[in-house]
Amino acid sequence: MRPAVLLMVLLGLVPGFAALASGQQPIDCPLRDEPYSIDSPLIDVLLKPEAKAVVDHEMPDLLQKLPPRFASTTPPTFASIITLRVVASFNPQEQEDTLAPLNRALAALPVPASDREARCARYDIEPPRITMPKGRPRLLLFEKITGFRDSPSVEAASRALHAMAQRNGWALVVTDRGGAITPGILKKFDAVIWNNVSGDVLTLTQRRALRDYIEHGGGFAGIHGSGGDEVRFWDWYVDTLIGTRFAGHPMAPQFQDARVIVEDGNSAIARDLAPGWTMSDEWYSFKSNPRASGARVIATLDEASYTPQGVGGQDLHMGDHPIAWTRCIGNGRSFYSAIGHRPESYTEPHHVRLLEQGIAWAAGTGETDCRDPRRGQ
């Protein structure tokens, strides 16, 4: 190693130097080299004692009232999907100008190689061994979660998806490894299903692989929590692939009966669905209407059938309130349903059929208005 490079390594100036020194491939995790700020993932602030000390000095009460599940540094954890700015918003008395000194103090902290290594520890890059079962279409069920993991809903969704695969003859492969998101593995599949995925889970290289896969004809199906984080650190995923950002869900009470209305009865996804049905779930609202950014809305919520009120009386009315929709992403297809927090949602017949036909559409089977050069459409 050249002397200048050796000096940089010793000073912690070479990203991923620990991995280089051990002969391992460095992980190109998002935000690895970014300065600390009030918009950093809270988990990264909590992992650095000096950063936590700065917070305690500048705003002594900010972290003291956090519930343990928000302050854990072991993924999956809420700390992966919130920031200090979000924490401050929990207290209406905290004003933006009180955050400015804290932001400056955090930005002055160094980001040595040990911090970069800690930030990247929740990512993985080793490709798993894939054994492809018989069947078509071929689907990759992705279940890596570093943010909020509601195990009952994740497991209920997984059981429902396995049952769908069995009755339809789908080939379903399950992984909780980001290392599966590579061009070589993705090209084996017709669609990727994100089962309530919360938290930032892909490296920069993996992000590029998924984006290229979708834009060049692959399919994506996202379920509930896959579009429900308070903060997202990948703009393309939330703004383009999903098509909108999460605003909140009711808390008075959290789970309510609401009426789902099928809007696009001509869609293959809505085929054989009732014009509407009532079910109990945790109903998401969004900061913008996905219809405005080009989504084809499959189903909406009747806001008169439940109380769209969030934490602290937050008004979650959208008026026009899409709850399931599709998007064409280049030559690929994206289907998202915001239904699915309660385990019982995955045995509700209308919802199960919506998911089943949405996943089939995402995989390119049957009718689609998205171009796919692999099928001449």
Side-chain angles (χ1 to χ4, degrees):
M1 183 178 294
R2 290 177 298 174
V5 174
L6 177 60
L7 178 60
M8 292 175 68
V9 167
L10 293 175
L11 291 176
L13 299 178
V14 176
F17 85 97
L20 289 172
S22 65
Q24 299 175 353
Q25 180 182 350
I27 296 180
D28 59 335
C29 68
L31 307 180
R32 181 189 65 186
D33 307 316
E34 294 296 311
Y36 287 95
S37 78
I38 59 174
D39 294 310
S40 299
L42 179 60
I43 188 173
D44 291 340
V45 174
L46 297 177
L47 283 169
K48 185 179 178 70
E50 297 89 340
K52 187 175 181 299
V54 164
V55 178
D56 292 338
H57 178 267
E58 296 290 336
M59 300 182 72
D61 296 331
L62 190 59
L63 297 177
Q64 302 308 313
K65 299 178 182 179
L66 273 182
R69 63 177 181 166
F70 281 77
S72 170
T73 55
T74 303
T77 169
F78 269 104
S80 293
I81 56 174
I82 60 174
T83 64
L84 289 169
R85 188 189 298 276
V86 171
V87 175
S89 73
F90 296 159
N91 184 352
Q93 296 179 342
E94 300 290 357
Q95 302 297 321
E96 185 69 25
D97 57 355
T98 66
L99 292 173
L102 172 59
N103 201 40
R104 289 193 294 270
L106 287 170
L109 293 173
V111 185
S114 57
D115 289 5
R116 296 185 178 104
E117 187 173 353
R119 291 177 179 184
C120 292
R122 55 188 180 270
Y123 298 84
D124 69 274
I125 58 175
E126 185 68 26
R129 185 182 300 275
I130 298 293
T131 301
M132 187 70 70
K134 295 180 180 179
R136 292 282 183 175
R138 295 179 172 182
L139 305 171
L140 180 64
L141 177 55
F142 185 64
E143 296 183 334
K144 177 163 186 174
I145 297 172
T146 59
F148 172 65
R149 189 183 200 280
D150 184 73
S151 294
S153 58
V154 172
E155 292 162 7
S158 189
R159 288 193 297 270
L161 293 166
H162 277 87
M164 290 178 200
Q166 184 173 17
R167 65 174 167 264
N168 289 289
W170 298 345
L172 187 70
V173 174
V174 185
T175 184
D176 63 356
R177 308 297 293 171
I181 309 300
T182 68
I185 291 177
L186 288 174
K187 71 180 182 181
K188 301 176 185 292
F189 295 93
D190 298 292
V192 179
I193 306 167
W194 280 36
N195 178 10
N196 286 281
V197 173
S198 172
D200 198 67
V201 293
L202 300 184
T203 68
L204 296 178
T205 298
Q206 291 160 1
R207 286 181 178 185
R208 285 192 294 271
L210 182 64
R211 180 171 178 171
D212 287 347
Y213 166 76
I214 299 295
E215 291 180 342
H216 290 88
F220 170 86
I223 299 174
H224 188 62
S226 301
D229 285 354
E230 179 77 21
V231 177
R232 288 282 181 178
F233 301 97
W234 184 13
D235 290 342
W236 180 84
Y237 174 87
V238 65
D239 293 331
T240 301
L241 190 59
I242 299 296
T244 186
R245 293 180 182 245
F246 173 75
H249 59 70
M251 289 300 293
Q254 180 178 359
F255 303 113
Q256 301 182 38
D257 283 345
R259 184 161 179 78
V260 179
I261 300 172
V262 173
E263 174 173 313
D264 190 354
N266 293 322
S267 167
I269 298 174
R271 185 173 296 128
D272 300 325
L273 284 176
W277 68 91
T278 298
M279 63 181 292
S280 176
D281 204 55
E282 175 191 73
W283 301 110
Y284 281 2
S285 290
F286 300 94
K287 293 182 178 179
S288 62
N289 193 318
R291 196 191 305 273
S293 60
R296 181 175 179 177
V297 176
I298 305 301
T300 61
L301 279 184
D302 176 2
E303 291 187 337
S305 65
Y306 76 110
T307 304
Q309 182 175 309
V311 177
Q314 178 190 14
D315 185 1
L316 295 173
H317 286 86
M318 293 180 63
D320 175 24
H321 194 140
I323 202 67
W325 58 84
T326 63
R327 298 174 62 79
C328 297
I329 313 294
N331 290 331
R333 302 159 305 282
S334 173
F335 164 75
Y336 174 70
S337 170
I339 305 171
H341 186 96
R342 299 180 72 238
E344 294 84 351
S345 299
Y346 297 99
T347 56
E348 205 291 328
H350 300 89
H351 177 230
V352 169
R353 183 174 291 277
L354 174 70
L355 280 183
E356 190 167 336
Q357 295 179 168
I359 291 167
W361 178 91
T365 64
E367 303 167 14
T368 172
D369 55 0
C370 298
R371 300 180 308 276
D372 185 345
R374 296 178 305 177
R375 295 175 176 83
Q377 297 179 344

